[in-house]
Amino acid sequence: MLDGHNVARVRAAEVCAACAGPSTAYRGGNLPPGSMLLSEHQLFQEFGVSRLTVVAALRVLREQGWIESQQGKGRFVRGRPAMASVESNRTGQAYLTSPETDSPGELVEAGAMALPNRVAALLDAQLKSKAFLRRRLVTREGEPSELVSLWLPLELSEGTDLTSGEALPQGIRQHLQSRKGVRFDHIVEQITARMPTAQEVKQLGMPKNVPLLAVFGAVRDASSRPLVVVEVLLPADRHELEDAYPVA
């Protein structure tokens, strides 16, 4: 099992592998926090990748807080950032990357629906236009937990399994990439609070005087073209949201 002393090196290898492709193998080692990182030349020799791959990996590691650069000295391991465990559990991202089969529940709606104003704005769509909606009621320990709605342009839903009543055995991101060739680049997240509708009260089995936390994740490609919006409705008395970020 990996411990905190070599997790930074493993992360570097994973980033190098992700940049270079699945054929890159990880070679184990030990780099405790405070250790100097290998030079760019040593890294691309060790991992068998190009210099551009190493530069990209180091940039990601620096932006995520795994390493820091000290002028005239080199790059040093900072250890595991506090952000790491939180970033991997962001609400909207989790539903886009995890298979639906990992979340017990049932499909409650699937088809062309008029866009709510906020979702239309996030998709850069005209008000009152239609998009494809896939909505699931997710359960935890046999009880309703959250409503997850996936909105996407009608043409993007064609030729997919999103109309199926069965839970998808792969994440939405992987499914759309394999079927439609689209690539998710980044997510713009918004969080609001509102009172539930009568239908949401019934579906979630919640008191009508308890607010809902509404998490919107707008997925865009590398050119910032909107692809998908995921909306997660969470009863405020059952959920809490956590975030972490570096102090500049």
Side-chain angles (χ1 to χ4, degrees):
M1 179 179 294
L2 298 174
D3 57 27
H5 292 292
N6 59 22
V7 68
R9 186 182 177 92
V10 173
R11 180 59 177 155
E14 289 174 346
V15 173
C16 282
C19 292
S23 62
T24 303
Y26 163 65
R27 299 169 189 172
N30 223 0
L31 278 182
S35 298
M36 180 182 289
L37 207 63
L38 299 178
S39 68
E40 292 179 7
H41 180 76
Q42 291 171 316
L43 284 171
F44 75 69
Q45 282 192 325
E46 177 173 350
F47 293 111
V49 297
S50 70
R51 181 179 179 277
L52 290 177
T53 294
V54 169
V55 170
L58 292 172
R59 183 180 67 250
V60 172
L61 290 170
R62 184 179 65 254
E63 290 173 351
Q64 293 184 352
W66 293 94
I67 63 174
E68 62 180 351
S69 298
Q70 298 182 16
Q71 188 172 3
K73 294 183 178 180
R75 300 178 180 87
F76 294 84
V77 177
R78 294 184 61 187
R80 187 179 186 89
M83 303 180 295
S85 61
V86 178
E87 287 182 339
S88 63
N89 292 317
R90 289 186 184 273
T91 303
Q93 183 179 2
Y95 288 105
L96 292 167
T97 56
S98 301
E100 286 186 343
T101 48
D102 287 355
S103 303
E106 62 177 311
L107 186 70
V108 293
E109 286 184 88
M113 301 284 179
L115 285 167
N117 290 348
R118 181 180 292 272
V119 178
L122 292 172
L123 283 175
D124 289 348
Q126 293 183 347
L127 294 178
K128 299 182 180 180
S129 60
K130 289 188 175 183
F132 183 84
L133 166 66
R134 180 179 176 85
R135 177 172 289 152
R136 296 183 74 239
L137 177 63
V138 176
T139 58
R140 311 283 181 190
E141 299 180 354
E143 298 293 331
S145 176
E146 58 250 43
L147 275 169
V148 181
S149 301
L150 183 76
W151 298 89
L152 63 160
L154 292 174
E155 64 272 14
L156 195 57
S157 67
E158 296 173 355
T160 70
D161 292 339
L162 296 178
T163 57
S164 171
E166 300 295 325
L168 298 179
Q170 56 187 177
I172 300 298
R173 175 183 183 177
Q174 183 182 356
H175 185 70
L176 288 178
Q177 182 172 324
S178 63
R179 294 295 182 90
K180 307 296 289 187
V182 297
R183 291 187 175 275
F184 293 4
D185 182 77
H186 61 278
I187 299 174
V188 178
E189 191 173 81
Q190 298 178 356
I191 302 174
T192 65
R194 63 171 175 82
M195 300 308 294
T197 65
Q199 184 179 18
E200 290 164 348
V201 166
K202 183 178 180 180
Q203 289 175 322
L204 290 166
M206 61 182 292
K208 63 181 180 181
N209 61 341
V210 171
L212 281 173
L213 297 174
V215 181
F216 295 87
V219 182
R220 295 176 177 266
D221 64 14
S223 66
S224 288
R225 176 173 64 100
L227 299 172
V228 174
V229 171
V230 59
E231 173 192 14
V232 184
L233 298 180
L234 307 162
D237 61 344
R238 305 177 199 169
H239 299 270
E240 63 180 29
L241 301 176
E242 181 183 5
D243 198 5
Y245 47 88
V247 178

